[in-house]
């Protein structure tokens, strides 16, 4: 019964439901957009440059991948709350705070996966670009282009991680309707109220998105193998 | 690409030392090369041929290095902090290194040959003209739009040589270029190597191929136990 209601909500174009879906994608998309460039550049440095503590940083990012979202939420909450060191910024319970939380969550994953991808790119790609007269910055972009399929897969994996996280968004976003309520926090709220229809509808959206992301990932990986 | 005057391209490379895992690979090498040279470099596996070529191309930092050209216009020593940076820049501008198994970027053959030209600020029509010319020389005029991964080993090597030729460096360093080639590909590679000579591009070529003798070398260098011996060409 609840499932039928959920499907009805989805297909009838329920404004509140679609607003939550849109907000969720908007926040997570911005979080990925802001984190990916820096994460990829750090990954490149870890893969191609030799410097002290390089291995330590690799281990650090690998470890940070498994930080629970609720710990990130708690830390940010303490930093952003009125009595916290960043309280003056008045970011708590805003979309910006949710974006920061999601950036913190996906950043180590993006670095670790991009590093693994870039590490796997043939060293001759860099040497060939340099010996053909490319400026080192251009050579970096050539290597990134060679790794584009793996990097896209890393970004999609990062997006998958944050679109479904509830701990951080709930704590620093506050689950405010029309402003900071996204799919996972809405599901948590509706379930606690015993109102399952909206929760199921949003769950269907998340599952569909996971399916689409995985199909796209499989396609991307296929393209990567084809180009080898 | 080259910043050297083609009339006076004599380079003096000295004090080249390189260790890997505390093992001496190159020990105090000193030699001169000119853009009129066509040098065959031989040596056993592990004698440091590829290492030396990579150092000369500015792709590998040696433990020590001195570079001078013309009447010692530029001298760089690895002992000074910025000297390898300066030498590296100079070497990268004048030497082009080809791997034993060449790396072709993803994309078409055309894109690969045009890669270096796109960093020289040439117009599209100039690039297109040069790429077409290069494709004719390597006897692959019909493969411009072929994806690079679809080429055979020999075709890849020929495309890689053409890709280096179009940017016209002072020297091209060919690391075992005939390793993946059949007779047809080898003959085509000889044609482009002769073209390099006609264009006054200095060539240093490492090879185990007995047919390499068909090429008209004017110097023969042999690497042995970290040192270098000049043999009769």
């Amino acid at each position: 019964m609840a499932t039928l209601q959920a499907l009805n909500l989805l297909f009838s174009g329920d404004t509140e439901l679609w607003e939550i879906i849109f907000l969720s994608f908007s926040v997570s998309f911005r979080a990925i957009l802001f984190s990916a460039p820096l994460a990829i550049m750090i990954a490149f440095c870890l893969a191609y440059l030799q410097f002290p503590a390089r291995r330590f940083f690799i281990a650090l990012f690998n470890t940070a991948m498994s930080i629970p979202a609720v710990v990130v939420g708690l830390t940010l909450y303490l930093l952003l709350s009125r009595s916290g060191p960043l309280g003056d910024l008045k970011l708590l319970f805003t979309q910006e705070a949710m974006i920061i939380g999601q950036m913190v969550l996906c950043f180590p994953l993006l670095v670790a996966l991009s590093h693994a991808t870039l590490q796997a790119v043939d060293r001759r790609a860099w040497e060939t670009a340099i010996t053909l007269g490319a400026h080192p910055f251009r050579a970096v972009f050539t290597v990134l282009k060679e790794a584009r399929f793996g990097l896209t897969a890393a970004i999609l994996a990062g997006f998958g991680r944050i679109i479904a996280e509830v701990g951080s968004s709930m704590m620093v976003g506050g689950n405010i309707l029309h402003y900071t309520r996204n799919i996972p926090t809405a599901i948590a709220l509706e379930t606690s109220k015993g109102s399952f229809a909206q929760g199921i509808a949003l769950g269907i959206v998340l599952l569909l998105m996971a399916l689409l992301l995985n199909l796209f990932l499989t396609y991307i990986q296929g393209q990567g193998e084809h180009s080898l | 690409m080259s910043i050297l005057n083609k009339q006076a391209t004599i380079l003096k490379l000295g004090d080249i030392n390189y260790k890997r895992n505390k093992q001496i690979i190159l020990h105090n090498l000193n030699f001169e090369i000119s853009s009129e040279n066509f040098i065959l470099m031989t040596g056993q596996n592990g004698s440091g041929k590829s290492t030396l070529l990579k150092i000369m191309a500015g792709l590998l930092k040696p433990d020590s290095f001195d570079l001078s050209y013309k009447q010692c216009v530029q001298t760089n020593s690895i002992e000074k902090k910025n000297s390898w940076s300066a030498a590296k820049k100079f070497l990268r501008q004048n030497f082009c290194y080809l791997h034993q198994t060449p790396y072709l970027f993803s994309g078409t053959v055309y894109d690969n040959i045009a890669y270096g030209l796109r960093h020289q600020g040439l117009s599209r029509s100039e690039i297109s003209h040069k790429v077409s010319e290069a494709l004719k020389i390597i006897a692959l005029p019909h493969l411009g739009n072929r994806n690079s991964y679809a080429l055979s080993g020999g075709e890849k090597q020929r495309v890689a040589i053409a890709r280096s030729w179009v940017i016209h460096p002072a020297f091209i360093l060919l690391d075992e270029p005939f390793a993946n080639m059949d007779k047809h590909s080898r003959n085509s590679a000889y044609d482009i190597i002769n073209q390099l000579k006609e264009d006054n591009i200095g060539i240093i070529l490492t090879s185990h191929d007995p047919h390499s003798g068909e090429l008209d070398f004017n110097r023969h260098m042999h690497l042995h136990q970290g040192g270098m011996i000049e043999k009769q060409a």
Side-chain angles (χ1 to χ4, degrees), chain A:
Chain A
M1 190 63 187
T3 311
L4 282 176
Q5 284 176 337
L7 290 172
N8 189 38
L9 274 175
L10 272 175
F11 291 112
S12 65
D14 182 81
T15 320
E16 189 180 309
L17 182 93
W18 283 100
E19 189 183 46
I20 290 169
I21 294 168
F22 176 77
L23 189 144
S24 216
F25 277 83
S26 164
V27 166
S28 297
F29 182 74
R30 280 181 283 168
I32 278 286
L33 196 71
F34 297 144
S35 4
L38 182 62
I40 290 172
M41 290 323 291
I42 289 176
F44 186 90
C45 293
L46 292 173
Y48 277 79
L49 302 182
Q50 296 296 328
F51 55 90
R54 177 178 155 270
R55 287 182 189 281
F56 169 76
F57 282 113
I58 293 170
L60 194 69
F61 281 114
N62 285 336
T63 309
M65 276 199 299
S66 52
I67 292 179
V70 73
V71 174
V72 171
L74 174 66
T75 311
L76 276 178
Y77 185 93
L78 292 173
L79 289 171
L80 299 175
S81 62
R82 196 171 288 183
S83 56
L86 302 176
D88 291 344
L89 297 174
K90 294 186 176 143
L91 285 175
L92 196 61
F93 304 139
T94 62
Q95 286 184 15
E96 286 74 17
M98 291 168 79
I99 291 170
I100 293 169
Q102 294 194 357
M103 283 173 69
V104 173
L105 275 173
C106 72
F107 198 81
L109 185 74
L110 285 174
V111 173
L113 294 182
S114 303
H115 171 250
T117 299
L118 290 166
Q119 189 91 332
V121 173
D122 198 320
R123 289 281 149 157
R124 290 174 305 152
W126 168 262
E127 291 178 350
T128 302
I130 291 290
T131 205
L132 289 171
H135 186 277
F137 286 122
R138 294 292 291 269
V140 169
F141 282 104
T142 299
V143 172
L144 295 182
K145 193 180 163 213
E146 294 301 293
R148 62 193 179 280
F149 299 113
L151 293 177
T152 309
I155 289 170
L156 290 177
F159 189 77
R161 161 104 158 112
I162 56 176
I163 190 83
E165 72 80 24
V166 62
S168 169
S169 294
M170 183 72 93
M171 293 186 82
V172 298
N175 200 14
I176 303 163
L177 187 60
H178 308 305
Y179 186 50
T180 59
R181 183 168 300 172
N182 64 5
I183 297 176
T185 59
I187 291 175
L189 178 74
E190 298 302 321
T191 307
S192 68
K193 282 172 18 189
S195 163
F196 295 112
Q198 196 183 61
I200 293 172
L202 292 168
I204 289 170
V205 172
L206 275 184
L207 280 172
L208 272 176
M209 191 216 61
L211 178 69
L212 284 174
L213 272 183
N214 277 299
L215 285 174
F216 191 51
L217 257 175
T218 312
Y219 171 75
I220 293 275
Q221 280 159 356
Q223 290 288 306
E225 282 164 20
H226 192 54
S227 70
L228 288 176

Side-chain angles (χ1 to χ4, degrees), chain A residues 121-136 138-139 142 145-146 148 226-228, chain B residues 1 54 57-59 92 95-97 99 101-106 112 115-116 118-119 149 163-164 167:
Chain A
V121 173
D122 198 320
R123 289 281 149 157
R124 290 174 305 152
W126 168 262
E127 291 178 350
T128 302
I130 291 290
T131 205
L132 289 171
H135 186 277
R138 294 292 291 269
T142 299
K145 193 180 163 213
E146 294 301 293
R148 62 193 179 280
H226 192 54
S227 70
L228 288 176
Chain B
M1 180 184 181
K54 283 193 176 183
L59 297 173
R92 286 179 178 180
F95 288 80
C96 186
Y97 172 77
H99 294 91
T101 309
Y103 185 88
L104 295 191
F105 300 117
S106 56
N112 269 277
Y115 183 87
R118 288 185 176 134
H119 299 115
Y149 69 79
R163 187 172 62 180
S164 302
I167 58 173

Side-chain angles (χ1 to χ4, degrees), chain B residues 40-183:
Chain B
L40 173 66
M41 191 181 286
T42 54
Q44 291 179 334
N45 286 339
S47 60
K49 299 188 296 294
S50 299
T51 303
L52 179 58
L53 294 191
K54 283 193 176 183
I55 289 171
M56 291 170 74
L59 297 173
L60 188 64
K61 186 179 175 182
D63 298 326
S64 67
F65 186 88
D66 272 321
L67 164 71
S68 56
Y69 71 97
K70 294 184 191 171
Q71 281 73 46
C72 294
V73 172
Q74 181 174 339
T75 304
N76 297 291
S77 166
I78 196 71
E79 304 303 325
K80 297 171 197 165
K81 198 182 174 202
N82 294 321
S83 60
W84 170 244
S85 302
K88 184 173 73 177
K89 193 178 173 192
F90 175 86
L91 293 170
R92 286 179 178 180
Q93 282 171 329
N94 289 286
F95 288 80
C96 186
Y97 172 77
L98 264 88
H99 294 91
Q100 183 172 347
T101 309
Y103 185 88
L104 295 191
F105 300 117
S106 56
T108 62
V109 168
Y110 182 97
D111 290 335
N112 269 277
I113 297 178
Y115 183 87
L117 296 171
R118 288 185 176 134
H119 299 115
Q120 293 184 342
L122 299 178
S123 69
R124 277 189 181 187
S125 60
E126 283 173 311
I127 291 173
S128 175
H129 175 72
K130 288 198 171 201
V131 173
S132 304
E133 202 182 345
L135 283 168
K136 275 183 204 157
I137 288 172
I138 57 170
L140 299 173
H142 53 292
L143 291 189
N145 292 322
R146 176 81 60 90
N147 226 314
S148 60
Y149 69 79
L151 299 178
S152 70
E155 286 171 337
K156 281 182 182 173
Q157 191 65 267
R158 283 148 70 190
V159 169
I161 297 175
R163 187 172 62 180
S164 302
W165 172 68
V166 291
I167 58 173
H168 216 283
F171 296 89
I172 289 187
L173 311 171
L174 300 163
D175 196 353
E176 298 276 358
F178 310 121
N180 301 315
M181 290 188 183
D182 57 17
K183 197 181 172 192

